[in-house]
Amino acid sequence: MPAWGEALVAVVCLVGIAGTVLPVLPGDWLVGGAVLVWAVVERSAVSWAVAAAVVLVLLAGHVLTVLLPGRRMRQAGIPTFVLVLGGIVGIVGFFVVPVVGLPLGFVLGVFVAELIRLRERGPAWTSTVEAMKGTGLAVLISFAAAVIATSLWATAAMTT
């Protein structure tokens, strides 16, 4: 692959890494797609092995993103419907206040749902904080998977 092609893959991977933190972009999809395009162009055993490793890392990241925060929130006693309501309000918030509306809407939705369910401000806020910690953990896992995947590609691109 020409140098400009690898530079383009690197830019898409960096945008993908940013997309794991910013809810506007499909971060891990961008990283995986860029590496798969690189593997198709390179057509070598190394490029296909790296692409397979990247896909496995990103899939593991997806699985961990669902399992670990979900378990943490269940242990904190937060029902699934509260998280769903928070997600719905977050999506609406995203369109009302671009970018920052998603996390603000999520927090507001979880807090209001827990306030209605628990009827006390203190426990409702405690549940909201636990939901935010779980969401932060999910973002961190997704970010780490994208960074590891990009590092695998960058190492292979520099050595081949």
Side-chain angles (χ1 to χ4, degrees):
M1 176 175 268
W4 65 267
E6 287 185 349
L8 183 60
V9 171
V11 167
V12 172
C13 285
L14 291 174
V15 169
I17 290 171
T20 62
V21 179
L22 301 173
V24 180
L25 303 168
D28 44 5
W29 287 91
L30 288 173
V31 172
V35 173
L36 286 174
V37 167
W38 171 78
V40 167
V41 172
E42 285 290 314
R43 288 185 289 182
S44 69
V46 171
S47 66
W48 286 112
V50 168
V54 162
V55 168
L56 288 175
V57 165
L58 294 175
L59 282 175
H62 271 299
V63 170
L64 291 175
T65 296
V66 172
L67 293 180
L68 293 180
R71 185 178 72 192
R72 177 186 181 116
M73 288 186 246
R74 275 191 307 278
Q75 288 172 344
I78 302 171
T80 304
F81 83 89
V82 169
L83 299 173
V84 170
L85 185 62
I88 291 169
V89 175
I91 291 169
V92 171
F94 175 76
F95 291 106
V96 173
V97 183
V99 182
V100 295
L102 182 64
L104 291 176
F106 175 77
V107 170
L108 180 66
V110 169
F111 180 71
V112 169
E114 284 294 86
L115 190 59
I116 291 168
R117 184 176 78 91
L118 300 172
R119 294 182 169 42
E120 290 184 43
R121 219 177 261 167
W125 183 248
T126 302
S127 292
T128 303
V129 169
E130 284 302 317
M132 288 188 305
K133 287 179 184 177
T135 304
L137 179 61
V139 169
L140 183 63
I141 291 168
S142 183
F143 177 79
V147 168
I148 291 168
T150 300
S151 298
L152 288 171
W153 166 78
T155 303
M158 285 190 265
T159 58
T160 57

